[in-house]
Amino acid sequence: MSNDLLQRGKAIKLAVFDVDGVLTDGRLYFLEDGSEFKTFNTLDGQGIKMLMNAGVQTAIISGRKTPVVERRAKNLGIPHLFQGREDKLVVLDGLLAQLGLSYEQVAYLGDDLPDLPVIRRVGLGMAVANAADFVREHAHGVTRARGGEGAAREFCELILRAQGRLDAANAAYL
């Protein structure tokens, strides 16, 4: 992990996640009745909870809108959920105004072109290992894990490590 990523992670007060391809593996599963389902990684969920327990706020901004994501956000206690929004930078502008935060205090994890404006603007903009090439090239860092396979956990632990809180976050479970 580079010193630059750790330095950027020190200032983070809000961690924002895309869903498809980040909290999931990016595949869309549709049932015959038209409903869909997604699979989420429990390691990612625990990482998000660890962040929130350490005082870092969390949000989801997703281009798609599904009840499954609403349920997952509620289960994890993620207070800021925005679905069906491709204009992610506009959404983030409003959220930052509401929370009284600056872009330098935001970390974002994404995987595809709609995430790129946010990745390039925030203090810590990261891409998952299997993100689109162009997105990986413009991110501050790239996770080792693929989307839906622990990338969000890795991202959360990076922030906690940068803030000197990872050991305390882990010790809380001893």
Side-chain angles (χ1 to χ4, degrees):
M1 180 174 326
S2 79
N3 284 337
D4 179 57
L5 292 180
L6 291 173
Q7 194 63 34
R8 289 175 177 279
K10 286 181 182 179
I12 301 306
K13 304 277 186 226
L14 171 66
V16 183
F17 302 86
D18 177 36
V19 176
D20 294 321
V22 173
L23 296 179
T24 74
D25 65 8
R27 291 186 242 179
L28 301 175
Y29 300 92
F30 294 97
L31 302 177
E32 285 186 31
D33 66 4
S35 62
E36 65 181 270
F37 69 91
K38 300 175 185 292
T39 58
F40 296 93
N41 188 305
T42 58
L43 292 174
D44 291 342
Q46 184 61 42
I48 291 169
K49 288 180 182 180
M50 290 165 61
L51 263 188
M52 291 188 297
N53 288 339
V56 176
Q57 297 189 61
T58 57
I60 288 174
I61 304 175
S62 178
R64 293 180 47 80
K65 182 174 175 62
T66 67
V68 174
V69 173
E70 186 173 344
R71 188 173 316 121
R72 181 65 170 156
K74 185 176 181 180
N75 289 144
L76 292 175
I78 297 173
H80 308 287
L81 172 62
F82 305 91
Q83 292 195 81
R85 300 295 301 266
E86 291 284 334
D87 56 344
K88 296 180 180 195
L89 200 54
V90 172
V91 173
L92 185 56
D93 283 339
L95 182 57
L96 292 181
Q98 176 189 334
L99 298 176
L101 297 174
S102 68
Y103 279 107
E104 292 73 28
Q105 295 173 300
V106 178
Y108 186 89
L109 184 61
D111 73 315
D112 210 348
L113 294 175
D115 302 309
L116 191 55
V118 177
I119 287 172
R120 294 189 57 179
R121 182 69 177 93
V122 299
L124 177 60
M126 293 192 63
V128 297
N130 58 321
D133 289 343
F134 193 69
V135 175
R136 289 195 320 267
E137 290 169 13
H138 285 86
H140 297 122
V142 178
T143 62
R144 289 182 309 273
R146 298 168 57 86
E149 297 177 6
R153 175 63 169 268
E154 186 180 328
F155 174 75
C156 293
E157 288 187 358
L158 182 152
I159 295 166
L160 291 168
R161 183 175 290 113
Q163 297 181 2
R165 300 178 183 182
L166 184 58
D167 290 341
N170 287 328
Y173 294 91
L174 293 176

